[in-house]
Amino acid sequence: MAQMTMIQAITNAMATELKNDENVLLFGEDIGVNGGVFRATEGLQEEFGVDRVFDTPLAESGIVSLGLGLTLENYRPIVEIQFFGFLFEAMDGIAGQIARHRVRSGASKSTPIVIRAPFGGGVNTPELHADSLEGLMAQTPGLRVVIPSNPTDAKGLLISAIRSNDPVIFLEHMKLYRSFREDVPEEEYEVEIGKASVKQEGSDVTLIAYGAMVQESMKAAEELAKENISAEVIDLRTVSPVDYETLIESVKKTNRAVVIQEAQRQAGVAANVVSELSERAILHLEAPIKRVTAPDTVYPFTQAESVWLPNKDDIIERAKEVLDF
Amino acid sequence: MAANEKLNPVDVLSEIEAKFEMFQILNEKGEIVNEDMDPKLSDEELVELMTRMVWTRVLDERSTALNRQGRLGFYAPTAGQEASQIASHYALSKGDYVLPGYRDVPQLIWHGLPLTQAFLFSRGHYKGNQFPEGVNALSPQIIIGAQYVQTAGAALGIKKRGKDNVAITYTGDGGTSQGDFYEGINFAGAFNAPAIFVIQNNNYAISTPRELQSKAKTLAQKAVAAGIPGILVDGMDPLAVYKVTKDARDRAVAGEGPTLIEALCYRFGPHTMAGDDPTRYRTSDEDSDWEKKDPIVRFRTYLEGKKLWSKDKEDEIIEQAKADVKAAIKEADATDKQTVTELMDLMYDVKPSNLE
């Protein structure tokens, strides 16, 4: 075990796979000698060489499509998009091409590509850096969308993503990069993609969250406990596909649920979760499932983040509404 | 305050444009006009190239007819572009990668895709896209420009593996306006990757004339923006197209990076068979001017002059092509219908819970 921040765990996962498989390549804007704008790829070019870890021209469409082309020679690209707000430049490359590559070849080709990108609010970034766009990816058949909330999951999920023969969108919340450390195993291990994690068991209400909202939910659960409300906190970890089995099992026990996301109400994946649980667990519900989300505006100007982003207080309020229903 | 002098931005347009003169070897009369550049193909190779072009012309005629009968689906006519499509492909090796656009099915067929599968692609059946092992190609790209950026990646892969191969891709004149067109040639240039980028300039993107795409006098000069060589070639001249592609391939394999080729050509038919009517935007004079440049006519004249071609030989190829089409359509008809389960099975290597 070693104490690691989430970003160190991510670097560690990439180093592990660069070592394990010579077909793994890592590229993007400023990820080489610079080690990435967040130091996620620090030291990797030095260790593995410029043939394995390299910088690209500044063009997101070109970068992700370079990845697709490289799979024809059986490379396994880890592609970095500097900030996920720049997704729109690469939307055809990802949703129109990479997500469809296997099926459009009648499964005669595979697409072992990981697209890593930072996102998420609370760190005062300029425009189109922090937007939560996972909903767009989750609506795209052919992709898996992974969002870790802690260093241990980040390492295991990223190793699984790199080993997957299907494309994975791996979204890294900027606020979580260095906000805390935890013991992370130094050896290689996988965390299964598509499996949620019960962060805290509870019996009164299920709080379903992902990304930075997991920590907010944990804080909310702690405060609710002081009022003798027992909240079960579930970290989705993968937002496409969602692990409904784990969610349904929890709802059968608590009979109440709140789905929490940082994205706007019309975005994210919360609406999916609510509708699936409504279809599959309605008879176990004592109250409507409520959502904690950001308002349906453009991502806020920096100074408005604190009043716009959802937080633990919003979660507590919504949980109580569900309990008092 | 005194008025400032006007700044003179660097203007080398006239110099640049002068460098992109159309390269030709065989003129409209089938005469060699550029002996020094003649690729000197053997008699067998010349006959093979002509055979492929005639076969492809018949394929176009039959595909158009089969589409009208409802026996084919999506089809983008190719008649007129045999030199730009077939002669460029003829300069490749088996191990090279072909990343075609939606009009570039003939190159795929000559690269090894069975005709039956090409027809299944047209109809919309996944089996049409299951390329046999060793056919290094992707299925026709519908998103104009996407094949260009992907080609930069395929070429970089080839370079990293140390192979003596190239990746070739095709787009049309309209496609040169896309961002992915520029990104593709620029990435390949920056990585010095062995790629050949072909623009088949047939003067129209559906109804939009070439002049509306860009003020640039040639499309080949767009190579300058990527810092790579560009060449304008008579796309109705099989020998010239072969020569420029072969040279580009040689340079790429020698580690000298990518080339952009603009082939000036014409499509005799409509944009696609999905209701496009070229009489709305093209004149019959224009059509007949270009028909005089027909690559098959000039190559036939040239080969007949060398006693390498005859009407009998051509009829034999035509009959063979018709028979091939008939057999392939029959085989396509006999292909099992698709099911939703199959489609779900094709999606992922490991099936996610929502598809179980």
Side-chain angles (χ1 to χ4, degrees), chain A residues 23 51 61-62 104 144 166, chain B residues 129 160-161 180 183 349-350:
Chain A
N23 293 313
D51 283 343
S61 180
R104 81 184 289 268
R144 283 182 172 83
D166 298 315
Chain B
N129 292 2
K160 283 184 171 295
R161 294 291 185 208
D180 277 351
E183 288 187 30
D349 179 46
V350 175

Side-chain angles (χ1 to χ4, degrees), chain A residues 99-227:
Chain A
R100 304 170 64 94
H101 186 57
R102 185 175 206 278
V103 75
R104 81 184 289 268
S105 71
S108 62
K109 297 189 165 57
S110 67
T111 326
I113 300 175
V114 180
I115 295 171
R116 293 180 43 245
F119 80 108
V123 290
N124 300 320
T125 49
E127 196 171 12
L128 269 170
H129 282 54
D131 293 58
S132 289
L133 302 173
E134 69 279 5
L136 295 172
M137 299 287 92
Q139 284 206 10
T140 304
L143 302 175
R144 283 182 172 83
V145 186
V146 173
I147 305 181
S149 69
N150 58 74
T152 309
D153 283 351
K155 177 173 171 178
L157 285 165
L158 185 49
I159 289 177
S160 298
I162 298 166
R163 292 177 183 177
S164 167
N165 288 326
D166 298 315
V168 178
I169 309 298
F170 193 86
L171 299 177
E172 304 164 5
H173 200 291
M174 284 184 272
K175 200 179 169 187
L176 301 176
Y177 266 154
R178 293 184 177 83
S179 59
F180 64 99
R181 286 172 192 275
E182 65 182 20
D183 274 330
V184 176
E186 282 174 272
E187 66 274 15
E188 58 189 80
Y189 61 93
E190 292 186 48
V191 170
E192 190 181 344
I193 293 174
K195 284 276 178 279
S197 137
V198 179
K199 299 289 287 184
Q200 176 179 304
E201 293 199 11
S203 52
D204 296 330
V205 59
T206 303
L207 304 179
I208 301 162
Y210 59 96
M213 289 300 114
V214 174
Q215 271 193 318
E216 293 299 315
S217 299
M218 292 297 282
K219 285 185 214 161
E222 202 179 311
E223 291 195 21
L224 287 166
K226 290 175 193 159
E227 300 180 45

Side-chain angles (χ1 to χ4, degrees), chain B residues 43-73:
Chain B
D43 289 353
E44 291 75 20
E45 287 170 326
L46 289 168
V47 169
E48 175 63 19
L49 179 52
M50 180 62 175
T51 299
R52 292 183 183 195
M53 287 170 56
V54 170
W55 190 95
T56 304
R57 177 66 59 87
V58 176
L59 174 65
D60 182 72
E61 287 165 4
R62 293 303 304 138
S63 298
T64 304
L66 287 163
N67 170 281
R68 291 208 171 101
Q69 294 162 20
R71 299 188 70 195
L72 281 181

Side-chain angles (χ1 to χ4, degrees), chain B residues 131-132 136 145 206 224 236 280 306 312 315 344 348 350:
Chain B
F131 289 6
N136 287 350
I206 306 189
V224 175
M236 306 297 260
R280 292 169 78 106
K306 288 172 78 86
D312 285 351
D315 287 345
M344 289 165 85
Y348 295 87
V350 175

Side-chain angles (χ1 to χ4, degrees), chain A residues 6 19 33 45 89 94 129 164 183 238 300:
Chain A
M6 191 169 90
K19 206 171 295 169
V33 68
Q45 188 180 71
E89 296 288 339
I94 298 173
H129 282 54
S164 167
D183 274 330
T238 299

